[in-house]
Amino acid sequence: MRALIAYFSRADENYFNGAIRSVKVGNTEIAANLLRALTGADLFRIEPVQPYSRDYNECIAQAQEDQKRDARPALKAHPESLEGYDTIYLGYPNYWGTLPMPVFTFLEGLDFTGKTIKPFCTHEGSGMGRSAEDIRRLCPGARVEEGLPIHGSFAAQSKEALKQWM
């Protein structure tokens, strides 16, 4: 059986240790690529049709509004199925204590029955929040294992933590 790394990540303006700076690759994508190098798993990027703003403050406002409305943003693509995968590594940044809304869309659009979901979450101090509970609620037929919180500012140095966690 194979593994799949499905992740949502955002580049452009991001928050790092109290400051906003622009990056070409988001923290969760950095961690997902390190995990791929360790596992050889397939990679799938969760991308909304309408991306969040490149401006950090606008992005926050848009994403908070999505969360308040319990929105399910349309995605550019979904895997056709999860057949052939037994483990799904699910990566995302912590957005106000849980998953970004495009990840909700992704999880509700597929059948995770019998799959093992291993969540990893980038954050700047808030850890996993309630995201693992939300994944369990959205994917009742899956086994959701303990997640790995990764401090986003140090995502590029997370290889050892990922290796121990997997």
Side-chain angles (χ1 to χ4, degrees):
M1 292 297 257
R2 298 179 326 204
L4 175 68
I5 302 165
Y7 72 95
F8 173 85
S9 191
R10 190 182 155 280
D12 304 315
E13 286 187 354
N14 273 297
Y15 183 81
F16 292 90
N17 291 322
I20 295 173
R21 66 175 212 231
S22 190
V23 294
K24 292 185 188 298
V25 179
N27 296 327
T28 308
E29 184 173 359
I30 290 169
N33 283 318
L34 289 170
L35 188 57
R36 183 180 193 195
L38 290 168
T39 62
D42 294 340
L43 207 55
F44 179 82
R45 183 180 179 112
I46 300 168
E47 293 182 271
V49 170
Q50 181 63 47
Y52 290 120
S53 174
R54 297 172 65 136
D55 176 271
Y56 180 74
N57 290 316
E58 283 182 37
C59 170
I60 283 186
Q62 292 167 335
Q64 272 187 322
E65 182 57 31
D66 275 357
Q67 196 175 60
K68 284 178 189 170
R69 291 184 301 112
D70 200 24
R72 296 300 186 267
L75 302 180
K76 288 184 179 180
H78 263 94
E80 287 190 26
S81 86
L82 296 177
E83 193 174 321
Y85 295 112
D86 57 351
T87 300
I88 313 299
Y89 294 97
L90 182 65
Y92 49 89
N94 182 324
Y95 276 21
W96 302 281
T98 191
L99 316 157
M101 299 317 287
V103 181
F104 278 77
T105 303
F106 173 80
L107 292 174
E108 290 176 345
L110 293 162
D111 182 6
F112 288 85
T113 302
K115 308 297 180 188
T116 297
I117 300 174
K118 296 177 69 85
F120 62 99
C121 174
T122 56
H123 66 93
E124 284 299 313
S126 51
M128 297 290 294
R130 68 179 183 279
S131 62
E133 292 84 3
D134 285 339
I135 295 166
R136 285 184 186 95
R137 182 174 50 78
L138 294 166
C139 305
R143 189 172 101 228
V144 181
E145 293 191 352
E146 185 173 339
L148 176 67
I150 299 168
H151 196 276
S153 297
F154 304 106
Q157 290 83 39
S158 65
K159 184 176 182 178
E160 221 24 68
L162 286 162
K163 189 185 278 186
Q164 289 176 19
W165 168 72
M166 19 173 291

